[in-house]
Amino acid sequence: MISVKSESELEKMRVAGEIAGNALHFGGQSIKPGMSTYELDKIIHDYIVKHGATPSFLGYGGFPASACISLNNKVIHGIPSKKEIIKEGDIVSIDVGAFIGGFHGDTAYTFAVGRISDEASELLRVTEESLYKGIEQAVAGHRIGDISHAVEEHCTAHGYGVVRDYVGHGVGVKLHEAPEVPNFGKAGHGPRLVNGMTIAIEPMINGKGAEVKVLPDGWTVLTRSGSLSAHFEHTVAITPNGPVLLTRPTL
Ligand code: MG
């Protein structure tokens, strides 16, 4: 069932979303070549806890860290590690959730470390653009498929692979709620959007090919082709004033 949030519930989601957005931004600004993904996770963890929230991902389905950190050809769900060192030229996808007041905020961004290749920079630009093309469609009366189609069309026009095995989702009291929000699909299809719905729109886009594989750790998702992958996500509320980004950083 799709939950519709009241004004007071949306206010709580704003609080959770702001902490998640700021933790992500703070983490991104803290990235330095030579740092391990474990250290980066610790910075994000401490930011969330210091602001009175709980990291949504820590322990979720047994996930062992507070942020998912996925470098280069990793798509999503990368497990932070002391052995994984961030280098100049890497792209670093960070996915962060914060839980406070009974609600979650969920957001992701792919950061460039120093100078990155033109190829990488184009992938980041197009994937972020596709997120905003999807957000533009998050209006009452539209359907989920309008969001899906907008994301897919923008990315396939650039020759990229749109990941199909993982999708966006409703978010609220639970981290993952109905409906699913795929990054591919037909305009005019799927559940109708109504005011008070809160959804995480999150394009996961591969430089080449849509196919992915999962490492034996059971979490880390990589591109099958070995190409780079980018991930951008906002928690968005459908409101009479149009889409509202609940996870926009305010730092
Ligand atoms: Mg999500």
Side-chain angles (χ1 to χ4, degrees):
M1 209 189 81
I2 297 174
S3 75
V4 170
K5 280 78 178 178
S6 66
E7 195 45 54
S8 70
E9 290 172 327
L10 284 179
E11 186 48 44
K12 290 179 183 172
M13 288 208 56
R14 271 185 208 106
V15 173
E18 184 176 8
I19 295 173
N22 286 347
L24 175 62
H25 182 77
F26 186 72
Q29 300 312 308
S30 306
I31 296 174
K32 285 185 183 61
M35 173 186 272
S36 71
T37 52
Y38 175 89
E39 287 173 82
L40 180 54
D41 177 67
K42 176 99 171 68
I43 289 168
I44 293 165
H45 170 94
D46 290 351
Y47 185 95
I48 294 170
V49 170
K50 196 174 133 194
H51 289 82
T54 304
S56 304
F57 301 167
L58 186 58
Y60 185 89
F63 191 76
S66 297
C68 298
I69 304 180
S70 310
L71 303 191
N72 300 321
N73 63 326
K74 293 179 179 170
V75 180
I76 49 167
H77 301 168
I79 301 176
S81 161
K82 286 181 179 169
K83 291 182 194 153
E84 187 176 47
I85 305 300
I86 297 168
K87 304 182 307 293
E88 167 92 17
D90 282 345
I91 60 170
V92 182
S93 296
I94 308 179
D95 195 346
V96 174
F99 180 74
I100 185 170
F103 289 87
H104 293 275
D106 189 7
T107 183
Y109 194 95
T110 303
F111 296 92
V113 184
R115 256 187 111 73
I116 59 171
S117 67
D118 290 349
E119 182 194 354
S121 129
E122 176 81 351
L123 176 66
L124 266 47
R125 179 181 67 78
V126 171
T127 305
E128 188 173 18
E129 282 171 1
S130 78
L131 168 61
Y132 287 92
K133 301 245 176 216
I135 290 169
E136 269 174 34
Q137 297 298 322
V139 174
H142 286 197
R143 291 182 183 269
I144 290 291
D146 296 319
I147 297 172
S148 306
H149 178 73
V151 171
E152 181 181 29
E153 190 177 52
H154 189 62
C155 296
T156 53
H158 287 83
Y160 294 141
V162 176
V163 172
R164 303 177 80 92
D165 294 12
Y166 300 88
V167 296
H169 50 91
V171 54
V173 171
K174 289 194 290 179
L175 180 61
H176 294 114
E177 298 184 346
E180 288 194 342
V181 185
N183 297 304
F184 55 91
K186 283 190 185 147
H189 286 250
R192 194 176 289 282
L193 303 175
V194 298
N195 289 322
M197 278 173 67
T198 46
I199 55 176
I201 303 176
E202 49 175 323
M204 293 157 251
I205 306 299
N206 299 342
K208 204 174 137 199
E211 297 76 19
V212 297
K213 58 184 178 185
V214 181
L215 282 185
D217 65 23
W219 283 104
T220 313
V221 179
L222 300 95
T223 59
R224 186 157 289 192
S225 69
S227 76
L228 297 173
S229 189
H231 182 208
F232 289 82
E233 175 181 29
H234 270 305
T235 298
V236 179
I238 317 297
T239 82
N241 302 318
V244 173
L245 304 189
L246 299 175
T247 43
R248 196 200 289 278
T250 54
L251 282 179

